[in-house]
Amino acid sequence: MNFLKGTKIYSIFTGCCPVCHEESMYEKSNPYKLNQTLKMHERCSHCSTKYKIEPSFFYGAMYVSYPVGIAFAVAAFVISHLILKLNLVISFLVIAGTMIGFLPVILRLSRNIWINFFMHYSKEKKLS
């Protein structure tokens, strides 16, 4: 995925600093350590970018999590009902299981998307 370095897509899918792309924003890389899913570093150790721009900054990520969750649900429906030809009840259960199973991933993706609305990659910051 290094060929995407320098793009917002790289920062969103890897969870790295949106400014320098050198360090993960999260203390633990595994989102399934549920008590630490959303624990983030205060600042990037490479470029000193402060991740929490203001108190309650990541409340805005809730607005992003809705369409991200819908995308996961639609993908689960397409795979279960349209491709695997499961009935609607089973497809609904697959959607519910997908939403529960991918909740930590959805939460992190939403935060990554939200912070990338406000911060941009900078080669100058990367060099320092």
Side-chain angles (χ1 to χ4, degrees), residues 70-107:
I70 294 296
F72 274 78
V74 167
F77 176 76
V78 166
I79 291 169
S80 66
H81 188 69
L82 300 179
I83 294 174
L84 298 178
K85 306 287 188 207
L86 300 175
N87 67 36
L88 283 176
V89 174
I90 301 297
S91 294
F92 175 75
L93 294 174
V94 169
I95 293 169
T98 299
M99 296 303 289
I100 292 168
F102 281 101
L103 180 63
V105 174
I106 292 169
L107 290 173

Side-chain angles (χ1 to χ4, degrees), residues 19-70:
V19 175
C20 71
H21 292 187
E22 292 296 320
E23 176 184 75
S24 176
M25 292 187 293
Y26 300 96
E27 291 180 6
K28 301 289 181 190
S29 62
N30 184 357
Y32 288 98
K33 292 192 178 198
L34 298 180
N35 60 340
Q36 297 179 349
T37 296
L38 298 178
K39 289 199 176 174
M40 300 176 74
H41 299 288
E42 267 306 303
R43 294 181 174 273
C44 176
S45 65
H46 292 281
C47 67
S48 298
T49 298
K50 186 176 180 183
Y51 296 131
K52 295 178 185 174
I53 298 170
E54 59 187 31
S56 306
F57 171 70
F58 286 108
Y59 281 139
M62 291 186 301
Y63 296 105
V64 176
S65 69
Y66 183 75
V68 172
I70 294 296

